Amino acid sequence: MLVSMLCAVDFDFSGSFRTRAALRNNSAEKDGGEIDSRFQLALDSELADGLMLHAMFEVGDLTWGGPGGGLSTGGVNVETNELYIDYYLPFLDANVRAGQQWWADHRSLILDDYFSGIIVSKENLAGLKAEFGFMKLEENVTFMQDDRNALMVNLQGESPIPFGILALGSYYADQNLGNVTLMPYATLQAGPATLDITPFIDYQMYPGDNDEMGFGAAVKADMDMGSMQLGADVLFATEHGLSVLSPWYQNGLYIYGIGANHDGVNLYWGAPYSGNTDSFVSAVGKLRAPVKENLTAFAAAGVLTDMGWEINGGVEYNVYEDLMKVSVFGAFANGTEGAKPSNYAIGTSLSINY
C-alpha cells in the first residue's frame, strides 16, 4: 500500500550533504578535534491545486567515531526537520502553512530555527507582504495551561526602500512571564554600498513588579568594490538586551560567533545580547576577494565587549557551481584583559546542495 501511494504522488527532491572537520582547543585550552557528517532530504508534492505537502528529514549529525558513528555501531539518527502542508485560501488570497516548519527574523536575532505552528502569509495587504504566525514552543503537561507559545506579525514593503517591521511576543500560559519585541528594519542602497539597519525594543514581563526593558540594534554595511567586497557587522544591546527563542545571528566570527563555514566551533557566543547584565557590543569588519575563477578568499576581525577579539580567514572553492563547495578556514581569538583564554580553530568543510 505504501509503494502504491508513493507511485501515485509525484515528489520533487532537494537537499544537502555536509562533512566537516576541525582542529581546535576548548575554553580550558585543551587541544582536540572532530569530524562529522550530515545529510538532509526534502520532499515536495502538489497534492491538489493550491495544496502542497512538504517534508524534510535529516540523517546525522554523525561524529566520526562517536555514538552511532563508531566502529560496528549504528544508532537512531534520523530526525524530522520539517513536516507541513501549505494550503491556498482563495477567499483571503493567502496561504496557510501548518505543521513543523522553519522561519527566521530579518537578522536571525530572535529566531532562526524549526518549530511547530501555523503561519498565514499574504503577498499584498495594503501594499505590504504580511505574515501572521502562531508558534508552539513548549507543550509541557498536556492537560495543564502551562505551555509556552509565541505570536508573530511581520510586515514587509519595497517602497521607497526595502523595509519591514516585526512584532513578536512569547508567553507562558497563566503566568506573568513573557516578552513583547518590536523590531523595525530597513535596507538602504547607494551605488555599490548597502546599509541594513535593524533596531529593537524588548519589553520583558516577570512575576511581581520586576518588568524590564531592553534596547539595541544590529547594523550591517557592505561595499562592493568590484575586485573585493568589504563589510562590517555591529550589534549593540543595552542591559537586559533582547529576549530570544532560537537565534542564529552571524557576526562573521567563528570562536566568538557562528561561522559560515563551520557553525560548531564557537565557544562563547550563546546570544550574549540576551539577558545581559551590562551593555554589549560586537563589532566585526570583513572582506572577500576573488583569487581566481571559483576560488574566493575571505577574512574577518572583530572585538566583543567583556569577551575578547578574533581574527580569521580562509578560502572557498566552488568545485561545481551552485552544487559542491569546499572551504578551509583558520581562526585565532584572545580574551580581553584575561576574560577568556587564547583559542584557535583550523577546519575544512565540504558541502553539496541539490
Side-chain angles (χ1 to χ4, degrees), residues 55-69:
M56 187 170 78
F57 308 100
E58 178 177 298
V59 181
D61 287 333
L62 287 176
T63 299
W64 293 17

Side-chain angles (χ1 to χ4, degrees), residues 128-338:
L128 300 175
K129 179 181 178 181
E131 293 177 301
F132 305 90
F134 165 78
M135 307 171 186
K136 174 66 69 173
L137 306 177
E138 297 177 34
E139 173 58 32
N140 294 318
V141 180
T142 304
F143 293 101
M144 290 183 63
Q145 296 185 28
D146 59 353
D147 303 341
R148 187 186 183 198
N149 305 308
L151 298 173
M152 173 271 291
V153 178
N154 188 39
L155 303 175
Q156 295 177 297
E158 295 295 332
S159 179
I161 59 173
F163 71 96
I165 184 168
L166 168 67
L168 190 149
S170 65
Y171 62 95
Y172 285 90
D174 289 348
Q175 297 185 46
N176 185 30
L177 183 61
N179 75 283
V180 177
T181 304
L182 191 64
M183 182 183 289
Y185 49 92
T187 303
L188 308 176
Q189 183 81 39
T194 303
L195 181 65
D196 187 284
I197 305 173
T198 307
F200 57 81
I201 303 173
D202 190 63
Y203 179 69
Q204 302 151 23
M205 297 167 283
Y206 298 99
D209 189 19
N210 299 306
D211 293 358
E212 301 288 355
M213 183 82 78
F215 303 88
V219 180
K220 181 180 180 182
D222 294 292
M223 174 74 74
D224 190 344
M225 302 179 66
S227 60
M228 69 173 60
Q229 292 81 45
L230 302 178
D233 265 293
V234 177
L235 171 63
F236 166 75
T238 63
E239 183 183 2
H240 307 299
L242 177 65
S243 299
V244 301
L245 301 179
S246 183
W248 207 247
Y249 168 78
Q250 293 183 307
N251 60 1
L253 303 181
Y254 284 82
I255 297 170
Y256 291 138
I258 302 171
N261 293 289
H262 195 311
D263 56 22
V265 297
N266 68 91
L267 293 176
Y268 309 109
W269 183 245
Y273 55 91
S274 178
N276 47 306
T277 57
D278 203 350
S279 59
F280 171 78
V281 176
S282 166
V284 180
K286 302 177 289 185
L287 69 87
R288 292 176 63 88
V291 178
K292 62 178 184 178
E293 186 179 5
N294 296 331
L295 183 65
T296 303
F298 62 88
V303 61
L304 292 79
T305 305
D306 296 328
M307 295 179 69
W309 58 266
E310 175 185 327
I311 183 169
N312 64 60
V315 293
E316 299 174 353
Y317 178 59
N318 284 314
V319 183
Y320 294 102
E321 190 69 29
D322 300 325
L323 180 63
M324 181 176 174
K325 182 179 76 172
V326 175
S327 62
V328 179
F329 72 92
F332 178 79
N334 192 51
T336 304
E337 297 179 354

Side-chain angles (χ1 to χ4, degrees), residues 9-15 41-46 52-55 354:
V9 178
D10 292 327
F11 285 95
D12 293 325
F13 296 92
S14 60
L41 175 65
L43 297 85
D44 291 276
S45 179
E46 185 174 7
M52 299 290 297
L53 172 66
H54 174 84
Y354 62 93

